[in-house]
Amino acid sequence: MSAEDNDVVALEIVYSVGWQSATSITLFLVAGALFILFVINERVISSDQRRQAPLFPWRFLLNRAWLGVLITSFLSGIPHNTLTITLPQRFQIVEGETPLRAGERLIPFNFFIAIGSILANIIAMKTKLPPIYLLFTGGVLESIGVGLLSILPSLGPIPGTVYLYEILAGIGLGFIWGLVLTIPPSIGEERDKDIAGGAIFQTRVFGGAIGLSIASSVLNSYLKSHLGNTVGSLNSLLANPTTTLASLSQAERDKVLTAFAAGYSVDAKIMAGFYAGQILSIALLWKRPQIALKGIGGSDEAKNEGKGILSNRVPPNMDSEQAVKDKGHV
């Protein structure tokens, strides 16, 4: 967590103090050192001789499928947090919406994340389709939805199709989130079942924090390079854009709004790239035969075990007296 905090702070302030400043370099170095110490600590306590349970077992990194799940979870958190913040900001600043109305316009995205999660598990259960194909589908839908969000017009009202783009991105993300939590029992060890969910959530949160910092740094740097001396104080604009815009002339306001819209589009393109990168991490789960969700379809061992259990039971058409006699002969 300390490494994450230092990394996030460094990305947040780098646009104002510069990459080569002592503050940025120190924060990045501290974050790197803390991360290395965390990895070493988890490697040591992952030893079978240690009674202490690791938070992030070293064996996760040696399991290709587990590594794919963790990277996919990390990459899914980056665009989600960013879109949850930047889309309402765009609605408020570029279109002049109230905070409440801007939040309402984000509902399709978050609502269909839940719908996508439910759909993915229903499809997997009903069709017994290997989850990797549904994960690929989710990755493609995410990339298309966020990619379309990056080409919204710079000025003028945003078309109603923005909700369709949100729905596509939401369903795709729901597919990812709904399946990465159900795959670990099929690829991991029994002793890791208690920490699997925590590891997935932590990587997602870490990705979300990193993504939001990247988006903020990119937007601020973009505005700084494109607005120049258009506004008296760029810091005031970034801190309170609505109030600052009201004090500008119409020409200056149009230039600032165009810069904001273009900056948000750049952020969306970067997020679409992260979603596309998920397809590569999902490919780490590829194997022959494909991984099946535990309890859906079932492995041969489970089926044989079930047959063995059933064979020891009394057949339903045998009365209790006959069953007792048979047991006596045995």
Side-chain angles (χ1 to χ4, degrees):
M1 290 299 293
S2 297
E4 177 182 335
D5 292 341
N6 279 275
D7 204 16
V8 168
V9 172
L11 290 171
E12 286 283 357
I13 69 171
V14 72
Y15 86 96
S16 58
V17 300
W19 289 95
Q20 298 180 350
S21 69
T23 303
S24 298
I25 294 174
T26 301
L27 287 171
F28 280 120
L29 288 176
V30 171
L34 290 173
F35 181 76
I36 293 173
L37 289 175
F38 171 75
V39 172
I40 294 174
N41 177 72
E42 295 302 298
R43 177 67 181 93
V44 171
I45 66 176
S46 293
S47 172
D48 291 333
Q49 287 74 30
R50 296 274 179 170
R51 298 186 63 182
Q52 181 182 358
L55 296 174
F56 195 90
W58 186 257
R59 52 187 171 272
F60 282 2
L61 302 180
L62 304 179
N63 185 325
R64 179 167 59 87
W66 239 120
L67 191 60
V69 168
L70 292 174
I71 296 176
T72 300
S73 179
F74 173 81
L75 293 176
S76 71
I78 294 177
H80 172 260
N81 280 25
T82 301
L83 293 175
T84 302
I85 299 298
T86 58
L87 268 181
Q89 279 185 346
R90 176 171 183 147
F91 294 145
Q92 289 183 67
I93 296 173
V94 179
E95 290 206 58
E97 298 281 11
T98 64
L100 177 60
R101 177 57 182 158
E104 290 173 349
R105 297 183 68 176
L106 188 67
I107 289 177
F109 175 61
N110 287 305
F111 177 75
F112 276 90
I113 290 177
I115 297 298
S117 180
I118 296 172
L119 282 176
N121 284 279
I122 290 177
I123 293 172
M125 180 178 64
K126 296 294 186 182
T127 65
K128 296 179 175 59
L129 190 68
I132 188 170
Y133 300 121
L134 297 174
L135 288 172
F136 276 132
T137 302
V140 171
L141 290 176
E142 288 173 330
S143 302
I144 294 174
V146 180
L148 291 171
L149 287 173
S150 70
I151 59 173
L152 294 175
S154 298
L155 287 178
I158 295 178
T161 52
V162 67
Y163 301 119
L164 175 60
Y165 307 158
E166 290 184 31
I167 290 172
L168 287 175
I171 291 177
L173 184 55
F175 270 46
I176 300 292
W177 283 7
L179 291 171
V180 294
L181 287 174
T182 56
I183 290 176
S186 303
I187 61 175
E189 300 179 17
E190 181 68 20
R191 57 179 169 170
D192 295 331
K193 66 179 182 179
D194 294 331
I195 59 175
I200 292 172
F201 277 116
Q202 184 58 40
T203 53
R204 183 195 303 175
V205 171
F206 181 46
I210 295 296
L212 194 56
S213 301
I214 292 174
S216 177
S217 180
V218 168
L219 177 63
N220 293 338
S221 299
Y222 185 91
L223 294 176
K224 185 177 181 180
S225 62
H226 284 76
L227 290 180
N229 297 322
T230 301
V231 294
S233 175
L234 185 60
N235 290 332
S236 299
L237 175 64
L238 295 174
N240 198 344
T242 304
T243 304
T244 305
L245 284 171
S247 63
L248 301 177
S249 65
Q250 185 61 46
E252 292 174 334
R253 189 181 302 114
D254 289 344
K255 184 175 181 179
V256 170
L257 292 177
T258 301
F260 264 106
Y264 286 127
S265 294
V266 171
D267 277 345
K269 290 176 182 176
I270 294 174
M271 296 306 111
F274 280 116
Y275 273 150
Q278 276 187 324
I279 298 176
L280 299 178
S281 65
I282 292 170
L284 291 174
L285 281 77
W286 184 271
K287 61 186 302 184
R288 291 290 187 180
Q290 297 297 345
I291 297 169
L293 295 181
K294 204 166 188 178
I296 299 180
S299 62
D300 292 336
E301 292 83 358
K303 291 178 181 178
N304 292 332
E305 182 181 354
K307 291 178 181 178
I309 293 173
L310 290 175
S311 64
N312 294 327
R313 293 179 180 175
V314 177
N317 60 347
M318 182 184 295
D319 58 29
S320 58
E321 183 179 352
Q322 184 63 37
V324 171
K325 290 181 180 179
D326 289 347
K327 288 184 178 180
H329 290 306
V330 174

